[in-house]
Amino acid sequence: MRNTTPRHRKAADQTRARKELLFVLPFVIVLTFWAGLRFSEPVTRVAMMSASLALSQGTVETIKNNLQESTTAEAETAAIPEEAKTEEPTEAVQTVSAKLTDTPKDILDMMEAEKAKYDTGEKAGSTIEKQYGKDNATNVYQNVTVRNTTSSHSIDIQTSLEKKATLQIADKTKPTVLIFHTHTTECYELLNMGWYTKSYLTRVDDPKKNMVRVGDAICEQLEKAGIGYIHDTEIHDAKYTGAYDRSRETITKIMAENPTIQVVIDVHRDAIMQSDGTRVKPTAEIDGKKAAQIMIIAGCEDGKVTNFPRWEENLTFALQLQQTAETKYPGLMRPILFSARKYNMDVTPCSVLLEMGSDSNTLEEAVYSGRLIGTALAELLEKYIT
């Protein structure tokens, strides 16, 4: 929580205020509390003003700030689900109240440190920004776009949207969403320089820089909405081959232990490179801040892809998430990629894969997008609470 109490008072005022406060504060608190219960909020303010007439200005301000801090702390504590309250708040709880557009301080610090690499780095290629939308879609309905790459399936966005997703949430505080990462070590640039260096790494184990960090951003917004979640941070791609088999083992175990989970989301980032080596970063401006565009992948049975009998239900959920996010934050979403793939999306009828920008987006942009899609997901889930 950000401390907004004035820090630059004169020492004499502080000493005098503390002495007067120790003597008078009990009477002020009792009077104010009694007035708040007996009458209305305006009367409470009158009681506070009357009691303050005999005090110095420094003491009045001290009392006022103490009461304001106490009220704010109580309100924020009450907003946290009972199961999430601990004696030592986790980092996720501490950052829940941040504005969506705020950049975490540690990311700002990493960005500053990264500047030195570009001063001495050797250029490997250029980076360009692109915003994907209707021109990149095969199907469009209102603000929902889809790129259908299947050979056997047509798609009717309106009809699919009008269906209900296979969701029925009786208690949203219980684990409802599972966030995990098949390609956990995928990472991002730190600076937007218009070019990338030969030393740029596309995969790192550090959870503050890879997909775990983006998953954390999504979970922050679920927590803020009081929706129960599990964020699995295990690295499944220490060896790239077999990563999906390993992540399936993980999510199967977690779901067996938590039968209330209904939504399963595999959080990745894309990689887009042109033939000349130019890398593309899908970007949109949301509320005056750059965000990494997000692409939902929705699969289906087609050709060699089998044993995915409920893929149409997955598609309905994907379309509703796309519509919710694009309505709240126009331009955030790339067209849904509807293709003959499964990617473990058969584990629930509300499973999708998210591509959070590309390897040329910045970590700052990706974390911002995580907060945005987390907010949209929470809004969608609220519609299915019984």
Side-chain angles (χ1 to χ4, degrees):
M1 187 189 308
R2 184 178 291 108
N3 186 357
T4 57
T5 304
R7 294 176 179 272
H8 304 290
R9 293 173 179 155
K10 293 182 180 179
D13 287 342
Q14 289 180 323
T15 301
R16 181 174 63 252
R18 280 195 291 268
K19 289 180 179 180
E20 292 181 9
L21 180 61
L22 289 174
F23 179 77
V24 179
L25 183 58
F27 300 98
V28 175
I29 292 175
V30 170
L31 178 59
T32 305
F33 180 75
W34 175 81
L37 292 177
R38 184 71 176 83
F39 303 105
S40 60
E41 185 179 346
V43 176
T44 304
R45 289 196 294 266
V46 171
M48 181 67 184
M49 291 171 59
S50 299
S52 68
L53 291 176
L55 303 178
S56 66
Q57 182 63 31
T59 303
V60 171
E61 290 299 318
T62 300
I63 294 172
K64 178 181 177 182
N65 287 327
N66 275 279
L67 290 174
Q68 287 178 338
E69 288 177 359
S70 175
T71 302
T72 301
E74 290 176 4
E76 291 184 357
T77 301
I80 301 174
E82 196 64 34
E83 295 178 358
K85 295 176 184 177
T86 60
E87 293 183 4
E88 295 294 330
T90 64
E91 183 177 351
V93 173
Q94 291 172 336
T95 58
V96 160
S97 60
K99 294 179 181 178
L100 295 182
T101 53
D102 287 349
T103 301
K105 183 181 182 303
D106 70 311
I107 293 181
L108 291 174
D109 292 341
M110 285 188 276
M111 292 166 64
E112 186 63 30
E114 188 73 4
K115 290 179 181 179
K117 294 183 179 180
Y118 277 87
D119 291 339
T120 58
E122 185 178 354
K123 182 176 179 179
S126 299
T127 300
I128 61 172
E129 297 186 23
K130 180 176 180 179
Q131 183 166 354
Y132 293 82
K134 293 181 179 180
D135 292 343
N136 309 102
T138 58
N139 301 77
V140 178
Y141 173 71
Q142 295 179 349
N143 62 348
V144 179
T145 57
V146 177
R147 181 161 64 96
N148 183 358
T149 64
T150 67
S151 59
S152 305
H153 300 292
S154 60
I155 183 170
D156 185 333
I157 297 175
Q158 181 179 1
T159 300
S160 294
L161 277 174
E162 290 172 351
K163 297 177 182 178
K164 283 192 174 182
T166 311
L167 270 172
Q168 191 171 6
I169 304 170
D171 184 352
K172 72 174 184 178
T173 64
K174 292 183 177 179
T176 302
V177 180
L178 170 59
I179 303 291
F180 74 104
H181 314 279
T182 295
H183 296 154
T184 319
T185 65
E186 291 176 332
C187 64
Y188 299 89
E189 290 274 14
L190 283 170
L191 297 175
N192 180 31
M193 303 296 289
W195 57 283
Y196 59 94
T197 65
K198 288 186 176 181
S199 62
Y200 169 52
L201 299 176
T202 59
R203 295 178 182 275
V204 294
D205 291 343
D206 188 347
K208 293 182 179 179
K209 297 180 179 180
N210 63 24
M211 299 315 303
V212 171
R213 184 59 179 269
V214 182
D216 284 342
I218 297 173
C219 293
E220 285 176 13
Q221 302 312 308
L222 296 177
E223 185 162 340
K224 186 176 181 180
I227 295 172
Y229 65 87
I230 293 175
H231 183 195
D232 177 70
T233 62
E234 183 175 344
I235 293 178
H236 297 105
D237 59 337
K239 291 183 178 179
Y240 195 79
T241 302
Y244 280 97
D245 293 333
R246 290 188 289 275
S247 66
R248 190 179 185 89
E249 290 178 7
T250 296
I251 60 180
T252 299
K253 182 176 184 295
I254 292 174
M255 290 177 64
E257 296 170 348
N258 299 274
T260 56
I261 291 174
Q262 298 186 56
V263 176
V264 178
I265 300 179
D266 193 358
V267 181
H268 294 244
R269 63 107 177 98
D270 207 350
I272 310 171
M273 181 179 286
Q274 297 180 165
S275 58
D276 64 354
T278 300
R279 288 179 170 167
V280 180
K281 52 179 295 185
T283 311
E285 185 172 304
I286 310 295
D287 292 334
K289 183 181 179 70
K290 282 187 180 181
Q293 273 194 302
I294 302 170
M295 181 173 70
I296 299 174
I297 296 181
C300 65
E301 284 189 346
D302 193 22
K304 294 181 180 180
V305 179
T306 59
N307 299 318
F308 194 176
R310 305 178 73 177
W311 64 264
E312 291 179 281
E313 295 169 70
N314 292 71
L315 178 60
T316 291
F317 176 74
L319 289 167
Q320 291 185 3
L321 179 57
Q322 174 93 353
Q323 185 182 56
T324 304
E326 192 64 16
T327 300
K328 287 183 70 67
Y329 310 113
L332 176 64
M333 308 302 291
R334 294 165 60 185
I336 291 175
L337 176 59
F338 176 55
S339 62
R341 312 180 191 204
K342 189 157 63 173
Y343 291 152
N344 293 331
M345 289 182 279
D346 58 312
V347 294
T348 73
C350 292
S351 296
V352 294
L353 187 151
L354 298 182
E355 298 277 14
M356 307 291 296
S358 77
D359 57 354
S360 296
N361 281 98
T362 65
L363 179 63
E364 179 185 23
E365 293 163 352
V367 167
Y368 180 39
S369 294
R371 290 175 172 176
L372 298 178
I373 195 67
T375 304
L377 175 61
E379 182 176 302
L380 176 60
L381 296 182
E382 289 285 348
K383 297 178 181 179
Y384 288 96
I385 296 174
T386 58

